[in-house]
Amino acid sequence: MIVKSELEKLGLSEYSIELGMVEVLETPAIEQLERLKRNLLKFGLELLDDKKSILISRIKSAIIDMVHYRDELPVMKYSDYLAEKLGYDYKYLSNMFSEVKGITLQKYIILHKIEKVKELLLYQQLNLTEIAYKLHYSSVAHLSNQFKKVTGLSPSFYKKMKENRTQNLENI
């Protein structure tokens, strides 16, 4: 809504907005772009205009959408999903992502999956087996090992920690 409002203030009416991306159909003047950059920064948003940054942003948006905003993860391999969704060879996407972000694409996906596991453990009535199935882990042991590698805690200890913290807050 912020981006839409700022585009309209600048008199740019032909655009399409998707998660993390805006495509302006008319070519804005340099001063319009500068004003847009300044106005978006006030809201903590950044205008990316170089091709690498835009592609990295699209990769991140696709992963966040895939892991956090879908009821089910894609059945196909993540590499195939990203290549198809973004229209680039996965190896190219992976190499560029690693070069720019300093982390592998696979590790970035794992970090987001673990964040989703935390969310499901804390706010849903799913057990670990159901979560492993929902997020396409080969087993509960695989999920638990990955969770511990990323957080330093077992999933059950993490959930118990949250429950204890909630109880302590209720007792205050």
Side-chain angles (χ1 to χ4, degrees), residues 4 18 23 26 28-29 31 37 45 55-56 58 65-66 69 72 80 87 90 107 123 129 135-136 138 147 158 163-164:
K4 181 179 179 184
E18 287 184 41
E23 185 177 349
E26 54 200 280
E31 61 258 3
K37 282 182 183 182
L45 300 172
L55 184 55
I56 296 303
R58 287 182 63 211
D65 179 56
M66 173 181 74
Y69 296 109
E72 293 292 323
D80 294 338
Y90 178 77
K107 189 161 186 128
Y123 302 114
T129 303
L135 296 179
H136 299 283
S138 58
F147 190 94
Y158 178 82
E163 289 168 357
N164 289 342

Side-chain angles (χ1 to χ4, degrees), residues 2-140:
I2 292 169
V3 174
K4 181 179 179 184
S5 170
E6 292 302 321
L7 288 170
E8 288 171 357
K9 283 180 192 175
L10 294 173
L12 300 170
S13 58
E14 295 187 40
Y15 53 82
S16 71
I17 299 176
E18 287 184 41
L19 179 66
M21 191 171 77
V22 175
E23 185 177 349
V24 180
L25 303 177
E26 54 200 280
T27 305
I30 293 171
E31 61 258 3
Q32 283 178 309
L33 279 176
E34 290 305 316
R35 226 164 82 213
L36 182 60
K37 282 182 183 182
R38 280 193 311 273
N39 292 347
L40 291 177
L41 276 174
K42 291 176 188 174
F43 296 100
L45 300 172
E46 186 178 1
L47 183 64
L48 303 175
D49 49 9
D50 73 271
K51 291 185 187 291
K52 266 188 183 179
S53 295
I54 291 168
L55 184 55
I56 296 303
S57 179
R58 287 182 63 211
I59 293 168
K60 290 165 70 175
S61 291
I63 291 168
I64 290 167
D65 179 56
M66 173 181 74
V67 174
H68 295 283
Y69 296 109
R70 293 180 181 264
D71 288 334
E72 293 292 323
L73 291 178
V75 179
M76 64 175 66
K77 294 191 310 188
Y78 301 136
S79 56
D80 294 338
Y81 172 81
L82 290 171
E84 185 180 301
K85 179 146 178 89
L86 299 171
Y88 289 92
D89 178 69
Y90 178 77
K91 191 170 186 164
Y92 173 75
L93 294 172
S94 180
N95 288 339
M96 176 164 315
F97 192 87
S98 295
E99 175 189 317
V100 172
K101 298 306 288 175
I103 182 176
T104 67
L105 197 45
Q106 189 63 34
K107 189 161 186 128
Y108 187 79
I109 293 169
I110 289 168
L111 291 173
H112 277 279
K113 284 179 71 176
I114 295 304
E115 285 304 310
K116 184 67 174 182
V117 171
K118 288 179 187 178
E119 181 185 317
L120 292 171
L121 282 171
L122 297 178
Y123 302 114
Q124 302 233 344
Q125 300 301 318
L126 299 177
N127 63 40
L128 218 46
T129 303
E130 293 166 325
I131 293 171
Y133 178 78
K134 181 178 180 71
L135 296 179
H136 299 283
Y137 279 95
S138 58
S139 66
V140 173

